[in-house]
Amino acid sequence: MARFVALVSGPEPPLDEAALALAAGADPGLDPAPWLAELDRLAEGVDSVPALVRRLFVEEGFTGNSTDYTDPRNSLLPQVLTRRTGIPITLAVVAIEVARRAGIRLEGVGMPGHFLVRVADTEQYLDVFDGGRRLDRAGCEERFRAVTGSAAPFGPDLLPRTSTRDILVRMLENLRAVYRTRGGPADREWVLRMRLAVRPDEDPLVELGEVLGAQARWDEGARLITAYLASGTHPPERTDRLRRTARSLLAHLN
């Protein structure tokens, strides 16, 4: 946790190191060195986008986990590197970091419903969940409609470049949703603490208070919310909701 907080407290953090620090929430003894070395190995001899796609999705067999999409291991970089399977955003992290080591600039694209990567300064997209399939703008729209069922107008605003912080938030939000049904309060706690470290928001703060309460740590949850309220000025509706949550937690101590 401390390593992750330190990374996201400064300027835009290195994606590979931050993703591994995130994974250490599930495995506190995680040593990042072997996984950084594995990314180095995967980049050896890669000199073009086609070579990158061939290395990752043909030679190394990376694939999207369509059979168990909500397996939490799909969101943890070491597990993705070990099992060669993941969800779009973690497979994108692998592709971006292997490409960076090979001198190729890829960027994350936060299309709603389905994360993509794009060759920087081009309109060439890769669907890393589908074997690195190359997409043009029309292909992205087709994928968007298939995944979301939306008939909304499709344009460049739905294909934004995604910062490292936004990638981390999206990874943590995936785990937050997964652990609601497939984990316990302790799993949700580290995810929510990391989520708040990247970007403090009301909803994860309230949920963290509830998660602490589920572990009979009511006073800790109330103190957390009270400290947040004292840290600045907040909209009245938010302040009221947070105060109600803190009072509800403290009521368990009576």
Short mmCIF file of all heavy atoms in Angstrom, two decimals, residues 27-83:
data_model
loop_
_atom_site.label_atom_id
_atom_site.label_comp_id
_atom_site.label_asym_id
_atom_site.label_seq_id
_atom_site.Cartn_x
_atom_site.Cartn_y
_atom_site.Cartn_z
N ASP A 27 -1.28 -9.19 -2.67
CA ASP A 27 -0.13 -10.02 -2.29
C ASP A 27 0.95 -9.10 -1.72
O ASP A 27 1.86 -8.68 -2.44
CB ASP A 27 0.39 -10.78 -3.51
CG ASP A 27 1.60 -11.64 -3.20
OD1 ASP A 27 1.93 -11.81 -2.00
OD2 ASP A 27 2.24 -12.15 -4.15
N PRO A 28 0.84 -8.75 -0.42
CA PRO A 28 1.76 -7.76 0.16
C PRO A 28 3.23 -8.11 0.02
O PRO A 28 4.08 -7.21 0.06
CB PRO A 28 1.33 -7.70 1.62
CG PRO A 28 -0.09 -8.12 1.62
CD PRO A 28 -0.19 -9.16 0.54
N GLY A 29 3.57 -9.38 -0.13
CA GLY A 29 4.97 -9.76 -0.28
C GLY A 29 5.46 -9.74 -1.70
O GLY A 29 6.59 -10.17 -1.98
N LEU A 30 4.68 -9.22 -2.61
CA LEU A 30 5.03 -9.23 -4.03
C LEU A 30 6.34 -8.49 -4.31
O LEU A 30 6.52 -7.34 -3.91
CB LEU A 30 3.90 -8.59 -4.84
CG LEU A 30 4.12 -8.50 -6.35
CD1 LEU A 30 4.04 -9.87 -7.00
CD2 LEU A 30 3.11 -7.54 -6.98
N ASP A 31 7.25 -9.16 -5.01
CA ASP A 31 8.50 -8.55 -5.47
C ASP A 31 8.31 -8.13 -6.92
O ASP A 31 8.07 -8.98 -7.79
CB ASP A 31 9.64 -9.57 -5.36
CG ASP A 31 10.97 -9.02 -5.84
OD1 ASP A 31 11.03 -7.83 -6.23
OD2 ASP A 31 11.96 -9.79 -5.86
N PRO A 32 8.38 -6.83 -7.22
CA PRO A 32 8.13 -6.41 -8.60
C PRO A 32 9.23 -6.79 -9.59
O PRO A 32 8.97 -6.85 -10.80
CB PRO A 32 8.02 -4.88 -8.48
CG PRO A 32 8.78 -4.54 -7.26
CD PRO A 32 8.62 -5.69 -6.32
N ALA A 33 10.44 -7.06 -9.10
CA ALA A 33 11.58 -7.26 -10.01
C ALA A 33 11.36 -8.36 -11.04
O ALA A 33 11.64 -8.15 -12.23
CB ALA A 33 12.84 -7.52 -9.19
N PRO A 34 10.88 -9.56 -10.67
CA PRO A 34 10.71 -10.60 -11.69
C PRO A 34 9.70 -10.23 -12.76
O PRO A 34 9.84 -10.64 -13.92
CB PRO A 34 10.22 -11.81 -10.88
CG PRO A 34 10.61 -11.54 -9.47
CD PRO A 34 10.55 -10.05 -9.32
N TRP A 35 8.69 -9.44 -12.39
CA TRP A 35 7.65 -9.09 -13.36
C TRP A 35 8.12 -7.98 -14.29
O TRP A 35 7.77 -7.97 -15.48
CB TRP A 35 6.38 -8.70 -12.61
CG TRP A 35 6.01 -9.78 -11.64
CD1 TRP A 35 6.08 -9.75 -10.28
CD2 TRP A 35 5.59 -11.12 -11.99
NE1 TRP A 35 5.72 -10.97 -9.76
CE2 TRP A 35 5.41 -11.82 -10.77
CE3 TRP A 35 5.34 -11.77 -13.19
CZ2 TRP A 35 5.00 -13.15 -10.74
CZ3 TRP A 35 4.93 -13.10 -13.16
CH2 TRP A 35 4.76 -13.77 -11.95
N LEU A 36 8.94 -7.07 -13.79
CA LEU A 36 9.57 -6.08 -14.67
C LEU A 36 10.52 -6.78 -15.64
O LEU A 36 10.58 -6.43 -16.83
CB LEU A 36 10.31 -5.04 -13.84
CG LEU A 36 9.44 -4.15 -12.94
CD1 LEU A 36 10.31 -3.30 -12.02
CD2 LEU A 36 8.52 -3.27 -13.79
N ALA A 37 11.23 -7.78 -15.14
CA ALA A 37 12.14 -8.55 -16.01
C ALA A 37 11.35 -9.32 -17.07
O ALA A 37 11.82 -9.45 -18.22
CB ALA A 37 12.98 -9.51 -15.17
N GLU A 38 10.17 -9.82 -16.71
CA GLU A 38 9.35 -10.53 -17.69
C GLU A 38 8.87 -9.58 -18.80
O GLU A 38 8.87 -9.96 -19.98
CB GLU A 38 8.16 -11.19 -17.00
CG GLU A 38 7.15 -11.83 -17.92
CD GLU A 38 7.66 -13.01 -18.73
OE1 GLU A 38 8.86 -13.36 -18.62
OE2 GLU A 38 6.86 -13.60 -19.48
N LEU A 39 8.49 -8.38 -18.44
CA LEU A 39 8.13 -7.40 -19.46
C LEU A 39 9.32 -7.09 -20.36
O LEU A 39 9.17 -6.95 -21.58
CB LEU A 39 7.60 -6.13 -18.80
CG LEU A 39 6.25 -6.26 -18.08
CD1 LEU A 39 5.98 -5.03 -17.22
CD2 LEU A 39 5.11 -6.47 -19.07
N ASP A 40 10.51 -6.99 -19.76
CA ASP A 40 11.73 -6.79 -20.56
C ASP A 40 11.92 -7.94 -21.55
O ASP A 40 12.23 -7.73 -22.73
CB ASP A 40 12.96 -6.71 -19.66
CG ASP A 40 12.99 -5.48 -18.77
OD1 ASP A 40 12.24 -4.52 -19.06
OD2 ASP A 40 13.75 -5.48 -17.78
N ARG A 41 11.74 -9.16 -21.06
CA ARG A 41 11.94 -10.34 -21.92
C ARG A 41 10.95 -10.34 -23.09
O ARG A 41 11.32 -10.65 -24.23
CB ARG A 41 11.77 -11.62 -21.11
CG ARG A 41 12.07 -12.90 -21.90
CD ARG A 41 11.61 -14.14 -21.16
NE ARG A 41 10.16 -14.25 -21.10
CZ ARG A 41 9.41 -14.67 -22.13
NH1 ARG A 41 9.94 -15.00 -23.29
NH2 ARG A 41 8.10 -14.75 -21.98
N LEU A 42 9.71 -10.01 -22.80
CA LEU A 42 8.69 -10.01 -23.85
C LEU A 42 9.00 -9.01 -24.95
O LEU A 42 8.59 -9.19 -26.10
CB LEU A 42 7.32 -9.71 -23.24
CG LEU A 42 6.72 -10.80 -22.35
CD1 LEU A 42 5.51 -10.27 -21.59
CD2 LEU A 42 6.34 -12.02 -23.18
N ALA A 43 9.73 -7.95 -24.61
CA ALA A 43 10.04 -6.91 -25.60
C ALA A 43 11.25 -7.24 -26.46
O ALA A 43 11.48 -6.57 -27.48
CB ALA A 43 10.28 -5.59 -24.88
N GLU A 44 12.00 -8.26 -26.10
CA GLU A 44 13.23 -8.57 -26.84
C GLU A 44 12.92 -8.93 -28.29
O GLU A 44 12.08 -9.79 -28.57
CB GLU A 44 13.97 -9.73 -26.17
CG GLU A 44 14.57 -9.37 -24.83
CD GLU A 44 15.18 -10.57 -24.12
OE1 GLU A 44 15.16 -11.67 -24.72
OE2 GLU A 44 15.65 -10.40 -22.97
N GLY A 45 13.57 -8.23 -29.22
CA GLY A 45 13.40 -8.52 -30.64
C GLY A 45 12.18 -7.90 -31.28
O GLY A 45 11.99 -8.02 -32.49
N VAL A 46 11.34 -7.24 -30.51
CA VAL A 46 10.15 -6.59 -31.07
C VAL A 46 10.57 -5.25 -31.68
O VAL A 46 11.18 -4.42 -31.01
CB VAL A 46 9.08 -6.37 -29.98
CG1 VAL A 46 7.93 -5.51 -30.51
CG2 VAL A 46 8.56 -7.70 -29.47
N ASP A 47 10.23 -5.05 -32.96
CA ASP A 47 10.67 -3.82 -33.63
C ASP A 47 9.55 -3.13 -34.41
O ASP A 47 9.81 -2.19 -35.15
CB ASP A 47 11.85 -4.10 -34.56
CG ASP A 47 11.52 -5.16 -35.62
OD1 ASP A 47 10.35 -5.62 -35.67
OD2 ASP A 47 12.43 -5.54 -36.37
N SER A 48 8.32 -3.61 -34.26
CA SER A 48 7.19 -3.02 -34.98
C SER A 48 5.90 -3.44 -34.30
O SER A 48 5.89 -4.37 -33.48
CB SER A 48 7.18 -3.49 -36.44
OG SER A 48 6.95 -4.89 -36.51
N VAL A 49 4.81 -2.78 -34.67
CA VAL A 49 3.51 -3.15 -34.10
C VAL A 49 3.12 -4.58 -34.52
O VAL A 49 2.68 -5.36 -33.66
CB VAL A 49 2.43 -2.13 -34.50
CG1 VAL A 49 1.04 -2.61 -34.07
CG2 VAL A 49 2.73 -0.77 -33.87
N PRO A 50 3.28 -4.98 -35.79
CA PRO A 50 2.97 -6.37 -36.13
C PRO A 50 3.81 -7.37 -35.34
O PRO A 50 3.31 -8.43 -34.93
CB PRO A 50 3.27 -6.46 -37.63
CG PRO A 50 3.06 -5.05 -38.12
CD PRO A 50 3.56 -4.18 -37.02
N ALA A 51 5.09 -7.04 -35.10
CA ALA A 51 5.94 -7.94 -34.31
C ALA A 51 5.47 -8.00 -32.87
O ALA A 51 5.53 -9.06 -32.23
CB ALA A 51 7.39 -7.48 -34.38
N LEU A 52 4.99 -6.88 -32.35
CA LEU A 52 4.45 -6.86 -30.99
C LEU A 52 3.22 -7.76 -30.88
O LEU A 52 3.11 -8.56 -29.95
CB LEU A 52 4.07 -5.42 -30.61
CG LEU A 52 3.35 -5.24 -29.27
CD1 LEU A 52 4.28 -5.46 -28.11
CD2 LEU A 52 2.72 -3.84 -29.21
N VAL A 53 2.31 -7.62 -31.83
CA VAL A 53 1.10 -8.44 -31.84
C VAL A 53 1.47 -9.92 -31.95
O VAL A 53 0.92 -10.77 -31.24
CB VAL A 53 0.16 -8.00 -32.98
CG1 VAL A 53 -0.99 -8.99 -33.14
CG2 VAL A 53 -0.37 -6.59 -32.71
N ARG A 54 2.40 -10.22 -32.82
CA ARG A 54 2.82 -11.62 -32.99
C ARG A 54 3.45 -12.16 -31.71
O ARG A 54 3.14 -13.28 -31.29
CB ARG A 54 3.81 -11.72 -34.15
CG ARG A 54 4.23 -13.16 -34.49
CD ARG A 54 5.00 -13.22 -35.80
NE ARG A 54 6.20 -12.40 -35.79
CZ ARG A 54 6.34 -11.25 -36.45
NH1 ARG A 54 5.33 -10.75 -37.16
NH2 ARG A 54 7.47 -10.55 -36.39
N ARG A 55 4.30 -11.37 -31.07
CA ARG A 55 4.96 -11.82 -29.85
C ARG A 55 3.94 -12.11 -28.75
O ARG A 55 3.96 -13.17 -28.13
CB ARG A 55 5.95 -10.75 -29.37
CG ARG A 55 6.55 -10.98 -27.98
CD ARG A 55 7.38 -12.28 -27.86
NE ARG A 55 8.38 -12.39 -28.89
CZ ARG A 55 9.56 -11.77 -28.87
NH1 ARG A 55 9.88 -11.00 -27.85
NH2 ARG A 55 10.41 -11.92 -29.86
N LEU A 56 3.05 -11.15 -28.50
CA LEU A 56 2.15 -11.30 -27.35
C LEU A 56 1.04 -12.31 -27.60
O LEU A 56 0.74 -13.14 -26.73
CB LEU A 56 1.54 -9.94 -26.99
CG LEU A 56 2.50 -8.88 -26.45
CD1 LEU A 56 1.74 -7.60 -26.11
CD2 LEU A 56 3.24 -9.38 -25.21
N PHE A 57 0.42 -12.25 -28.77
CA PHE A 57 -0.83 -12.98 -28.96
C PHE A 57 -0.68 -14.28 -29.75
O PHE A 57 -1.59 -15.11 -29.73
CB PHE A 57 -1.86 -12.06 -29.61
CG PHE A 57 -2.09 -10.81 -28.81
CD1 PHE A 57 -1.57 -9.60 -29.24
CD2 PHE A 57 -2.77 -10.86 -27.61
CE1 PHE A 57 -1.75 -8.44 -28.49
CE2 PHE A 57 -2.96 -9.71 -26.85
CZ PHE A 57 -2.44 -8.50 -27.29
N VAL A 58 0.47 -14.46 -30.41
CA VAL A 58 0.71 -15.71 -31.13
C VAL A 58 1.78 -16.53 -30.39
O VAL A 58 1.51 -17.64 -29.92
CB VAL A 58 1.14 -15.45 -32.59
CG1 VAL A 58 1.43 -16.78 -33.30
CG2 VAL A 58 0.06 -14.67 -33.33
N GLU A 59 2.96 -15.96 -30.24
CA GLU A 59 4.06 -16.71 -29.62
C GLU A 59 3.82 -16.94 -28.12
O GLU A 59 4.08 -18.03 -27.60
CB GLU A 59 5.38 -15.97 -29.84
CG GLU A 59 5.78 -15.84 -31.30
CD GLU A 59 6.99 -14.93 -31.49
OE1 GLU A 59 7.58 -14.48 -30.48
OE2 GLU A 59 7.34 -14.65 -32.65
N GLU A 60 3.35 -15.90 -27.42
CA GLU A 60 3.20 -16.00 -25.97
C GLU A 60 1.78 -16.37 -25.54
O GLU A 60 1.56 -16.72 -24.38
CB GLU A 60 3.62 -14.68 -25.31
CG GLU A 60 5.08 -14.33 -25.51
CD GLU A 60 6.02 -15.24 -24.71
OE1 GLU A 60 5.56 -15.86 -23.73
OE2 GLU A 60 7.22 -15.30 -25.06
N GLY A 61 0.83 -16.28 -26.43
CA GLY A 61 -0.51 -16.78 -26.16
C GLY A 61 -1.37 -15.95 -25.22
O GLY A 61 -2.29 -16.48 -24.59
N PHE A 62 -1.12 -14.65 -25.12
CA PHE A 62 -2.01 -13.81 -24.31
C PHE A 62 -3.40 -13.78 -24.93
O PHE A 62 -3.54 -13.70 -26.16
CB PHE A 62 -1.45 -12.39 -24.20
CG PHE A 62 -0.32 -12.25 -23.22
CD1 PHE A 62 1.00 -12.42 -23.63
CD2 PHE A 62 -0.58 -11.95 -21.89
CE1 PHE A 62 2.04 -12.30 -22.72
CE2 PHE A 62 0.45 -11.82 -20.98
CZ PHE A 62 1.77 -12.00 -21.39
N THR A 63 -4.41 -13.82 -24.08
CA THR A 63 -5.79 -13.86 -24.58
C THR A 63 -6.74 -13.24 -23.57
O THR A 63 -6.43 -13.14 -22.38
CB THR A 63 -6.21 -15.32 -24.87
OG1 THR A 63 -7.48 -15.33 -25.52
CG2 THR A 63 -6.30 -16.14 -23.59
N GLY A 64 -7.89 -12.83 -24.06
CA GLY A 64 -8.91 -12.31 -23.17
C GLY A 64 -9.64 -13.43 -22.45
O GLY A 64 -9.94 -14.47 -23.05
N ASN A 65 -9.90 -13.22 -21.18
CA ASN A 65 -10.60 -14.25 -20.39
C ASN A 65 -12.11 -14.04 -20.54
O ASN A 65 -12.75 -13.38 -19.73
CB ASN A 65 -10.19 -14.17 -18.92
CG ASN A 65 -10.69 -15.35 -18.11
OD1 ASN A 65 -11.56 -16.09 -18.56
ND2 ASN A 65 -10.14 -15.55 -16.93
N SER A 66 -12.67 -14.63 -21.57
CA SER A 66 -14.10 -14.49 -21.82
C SER A 66 -14.92 -15.51 -21.05
O SER A 66 -16.14 -15.38 -20.94
CB SER A 66 -14.39 -14.62 -23.32
OG SER A 66 -13.88 -15.85 -23.82
N THR A 67 -14.27 -16.54 -20.48
CA THR A 67 -15.01 -17.58 -19.74
C THR A 67 -15.24 -17.19 -18.29
O THR A 67 -16.21 -17.62 -17.68
CB THR A 67 -14.28 -18.93 -19.81
OG1 THR A 67 -12.98 -18.78 -19.24
CG2 THR A 67 -14.16 -19.41 -21.25
N ASP A 68 -14.34 -16.39 -17.71
CA ASP A 68 -14.50 -15.97 -16.31
C ASP A 68 -14.01 -14.53 -16.18
O ASP A 68 -13.00 -14.24 -15.54
CB ASP A 68 -13.72 -16.90 -15.37
CG ASP A 68 -14.12 -16.73 -13.91
OD1 ASP A 68 -15.02 -15.91 -13.63
OD2 ASP A 68 -13.53 -17.40 -13.05
N TYR A 69 -14.76 -13.63 -16.79
CA TYR A 69 -14.35 -12.24 -16.90
C TYR A 69 -14.15 -11.57 -15.54
O TYR A 69 -13.30 -10.70 -15.38
CB TYR A 69 -15.40 -11.48 -17.71
CG TYR A 69 -14.97 -10.13 -18.22
CD1 TYR A 69 -14.36 -9.99 -19.46
CD2 TYR A 69 -15.20 -8.97 -17.46
CE1 TYR A 69 -13.99 -8.74 -19.94
CE2 TYR A 69 -14.83 -7.73 -17.94
CZ TYR A 69 -14.21 -7.62 -19.18
OH TYR A 69 -13.84 -6.38 -19.65
N THR A 70 -14.94 -11.98 -14.55
CA THR A 70 -14.90 -11.32 -13.24
C THR A 70 -13.93 -11.98 -12.26
O THR A 70 -13.93 -11.64 -11.07
CB THR A 70 -16.29 -11.26 -12.61
OG1 THR A 70 -16.77 -12.60 -12.39
CG2 THR A 70 -17.27 -10.51 -13.50
N ASP A 71 -13.11 -12.89 -12.72
CA ASP A 71 -12.06 -13.45 -11.86
C ASP A 71 -11.13 -12.31 -11.45
O ASP A 71 -10.58 -11.62 -12.32
CB ASP A 71 -11.28 -14.52 -12.63
CG ASP A 71 -10.26 -15.26 -11.77
OD1 ASP A 71 -9.73 -14.66 -10.81
OD2 ASP A 71 -9.97 -16.43 -12.08
N PRO A 72 -10.94 -12.06 -10.15
CA PRO A 72 -10.09 -10.92 -9.75
C PRO A 72 -8.66 -11.02 -10.27
O PRO A 72 -7.99 -9.99 -10.42
CB PRO A 72 -10.15 -10.96 -8.22
CG PRO A 72 -10.65 -12.31 -7.85
CD PRO A 72 -11.52 -12.75 -8.99
N ARG A 73 -8.19 -12.21 -10.56
CA ARG A 73 -6.84 -12.34 -11.10
C ARG A 73 -6.68 -11.65 -12.44
O ARG A 73 -5.56 -11.28 -12.83
CB ARG A 73 -6.47 -13.83 -11.22
CG ARG A 73 -6.37 -14.55 -9.88
CD ARG A 73 -6.10 -16.03 -10.05
NE ARG A 73 -7.23 -16.71 -10.71
CZ ARG A 73 -7.26 -18.00 -11.00
NH1 ARG A 73 -6.21 -18.77 -10.72
NH2 ARG A 73 -8.32 -18.55 -11.57
N ASN A 74 -7.78 -11.45 -13.15
CA ASN A 74 -7.72 -10.75 -14.43
C ASN A 74 -7.28 -9.30 -14.29
O ASN A 74 -6.88 -8.67 -15.28
CB ASN A 74 -9.10 -10.76 -15.10
CG ASN A 74 -9.54 -12.14 -15.54
OD1 ASN A 74 -8.72 -13.01 -15.83
ND2 ASN A 74 -10.84 -12.36 -15.60
N SER A 75 -7.37 -8.75 -13.09
CA SER A 75 -7.04 -7.34 -12.85
C SER A 75 -5.69 -7.16 -12.16
O SER A 75 -5.34 -6.02 -11.81
CB SER A 75 -8.14 -6.68 -12.01
OG SER A 75 -9.35 -6.62 -12.72
N LEU A 76 -4.96 -8.23 -11.96
CA LEU A 76 -3.67 -8.18 -11.25
C LEU A 76 -2.55 -8.53 -12.23
O LEU A 76 -2.49 -9.65 -12.74
CB LEU A 76 -3.69 -9.15 -10.07
CG LEU A 76 -4.83 -8.93 -9.06
CD1 LEU A 76 -4.88 -10.07 -8.05
CD2 LEU A 76 -4.67 -7.58 -8.35
N LEU A 77 -1.67 -7.58 -12.49
CA LEU A 77 -0.68 -7.74 -13.55
C LEU A 77 0.17 -8.99 -13.42
O LEU A 77 0.37 -9.70 -14.42
CB LEU A 77 0.21 -6.48 -13.62
CG LEU A 77 1.28 -6.47 -14.71
CD1 LEU A 77 0.68 -6.69 -16.09
CD2 LEU A 77 2.08 -5.17 -14.66
N PRO A 78 0.70 -9.36 -12.24
CA PRO A 78 1.50 -10.59 -12.18
C PRO A 78 0.70 -11.84 -12.57
O PRO A 78 1.23 -12.76 -13.19
CB PRO A 78 1.94 -10.66 -10.71
CG PRO A 78 1.90 -9.25 -10.24
CD PRO A 78 0.74 -8.65 -10.94
N GLN A 79 -0.57 -11.86 -12.19
CA GLN A 79 -1.42 -12.99 -12.55
C GLN A 79 -1.66 -13.03 -14.06
O GLN A 79 -1.68 -14.10 -14.68
CB GLN A 79 -2.76 -12.91 -11.82
CG GLN A 79 -2.67 -13.11 -10.32
CD GLN A 79 -2.38 -14.56 -9.96
OE1 GLN A 79 -2.56 -15.47 -10.76
NE2 GLN A 79 -1.92 -14.78 -8.74
N VAL A 80 -1.82 -11.87 -14.67
CA VAL A 80 -2.01 -11.81 -16.12
C VAL A 80 -0.75 -12.29 -16.83
O VAL A 80 -0.82 -13.05 -17.81
CB VAL A 80 -2.38 -10.38 -16.55
CG1 VAL A 80 -2.44 -10.26 -18.08
CG2 VAL A 80 -3.72 -9.97 -15.95
N LEU A 81 0.41 -11.89 -16.33
CA LEU A 81 1.67 -12.33 -16.94
C LEU A 81 1.90 -13.82 -16.74
O LEU A 81 2.51 -14.48 -17.59
CB LEU A 81 2.83 -11.53 -16.35
CG LEU A 81 2.89 -10.05 -16.76
CD1 LEU A 81 3.92 -9.30 -15.91
CD2 LEU A 81 3.22 -9.90 -18.24
N THR A 82 1.45 -14.37 -15.64
CA THR A 82 1.62 -15.80 -15.36
C THR A 82 0.64 -16.64 -16.17
O THR A 82 1.02 -17.64 -16.80
CB THR A 82 1.41 -16.08 -13.86
OG1 THR A 82 2.40 -15.38 -13.12
CG2 THR A 82 1.52 -17.57 -13.56
N ARG A 83 -0.62 -16.24 -16.15
CA ARG A 83 -1.69 -17.06 -16.72
C ARG A 83 -1.92 -16.75 -18.19
O ARG A 83 -2.66 -17.46 -18.88
CB ARG A 83 -2.98 -16.85 -15.93
CG ARG A 83 -2.83 -17.22 -14.44
CD ARG A 83 -4.02 -16.76 -13.60
NE ARG A 83 -5.23 -17.48 -13.96
CZ ARG A 83 -6.36 -16.91 -14.35
NH1 ARG A 83 -6.44 -15.60 -14.47
NH2 ARG A 83 -7.41 -17.64 -14.64
#
